[in-house]
Amino acid sequence: MPKYLLLKHYRGAPAAVNDIPMDQWAPEEITAHMQYMRDFATRLQESGEFVGEQALAPEGTFVRYDGEGKPPVTDGPFAETKDLIAGWMMIDVDSYERALELAGELSAAPGAGGKPIHEWLELRPLFSEQLIVTE
C-alpha cells in the first residue's frame, strides 16, 4: 500500500475559499476545526489507513553541519517550513485515487463561521524504491 503525506500550508498554496487566518477565528471555531481533524484521524485509524499526524508550531530554525564546531543556524532568508507548513498527516492507502479522496475530505475541515475551509492540501507520495527508475 502506498503511503502519502498530506501537508497543510500556512501559505504558498492557492488561497482557500474560507481564507480567514486561524488567529482570527473564535475559540469555538478552533475547537470545531480540531475536532474535525481528530474525528478524521480516528476514522482512518479504524480503517487501517492512518499512519500519523501532527500540527506544527510556527517556530523553527535551519541548521546544517559545517565541519567541526558549532553548526550554523539561521532564521532566513530561505522559504522556511515554519512559515509554510501548518501540519501533516500520513496515510497508508490502496491507491492514489483513495489518497485524493481523503485529501479532498480533509480540505473540508470547518473554519471561520463553521464553514468548510476548502483549503488546498499538498499530497506527496513517500519516496520508495518503486519510484526509482532503472534502466
Side-chain angles (χ1 to χ4, degrees), residues 37-64:
M37 303 295 286
R38 282 191 292 275
D39 292 346
F40 185 81
T42 297
R43 193 165 45 81
L44 293 183
Q45 286 171 342
E46 291 167 356
S47 71
E49 297 172 305
F50 181 83
V51 176
E53 54 120 9
Q54 187 64 56
L56 300 173
E59 300 82 27
T61 305
F62 269 103
V63 178
R64 77 166 189 226

Side-chain angles (χ1 to χ4, degrees), residues 6-132:
L6 300 169
L7 292 170
K8 294 177 67 70
H9 289 272
Y10 285 117
R11 62 175 190 238
V17 172
N18 186 357
D19 195 26
I20 299 170
M22 188 179 271
D23 62 0
Q24 296 176 24
W25 297 1
E28 62 274 9
E29 293 168 340
I30 293 172
T31 300
H33 179 83
M34 299 308 289
Q35 187 61 53
Y36 182 97
M37 303 295 286
R38 282 191 292 275
D39 292 346
F40 185 81
T42 297
R43 193 165 45 81
L44 293 183
Q45 286 171 342
E46 291 167 356
S47 71
E49 297 172 305
F50 181 83
V51 176
E53 54 120 9
Q54 187 64 56
L56 300 173
E59 300 82 27
T61 305
F62 269 103
V63 178
R64 77 166 189 226
Y65 175 75
D66 201 25
E68 296 300 318
K70 294 172 67 175
V73 175
T74 184
D75 197 32
F78 312 109
E80 301 183 50
T81 57
K82 71 179 182 184
D83 295 329
L84 301 176
I85 300 174
W88 59 271
M89 179 177 286
M90 191 175 303
I91 57 176
D92 191 353
V93 294
D94 289 327
S95 66
Y96 173 72
E97 290 73 22
R98 178 63 176 155
L100 287 175
E101 177 185 339
L102 292 174
E105 188 175 332
L106 188 58
S107 170
K115 297 178 182 173
I117 298 172
H118 297 279
E119 68 182 325
W120 289 91
L121 298 172
E122 184 177 357
L123 178 62
R124 301 271 310 267
L126 269 61
F127 185 78
S128 70
E129 291 185 19
Q130 289 86 8
L131 294 176
I132 299 173

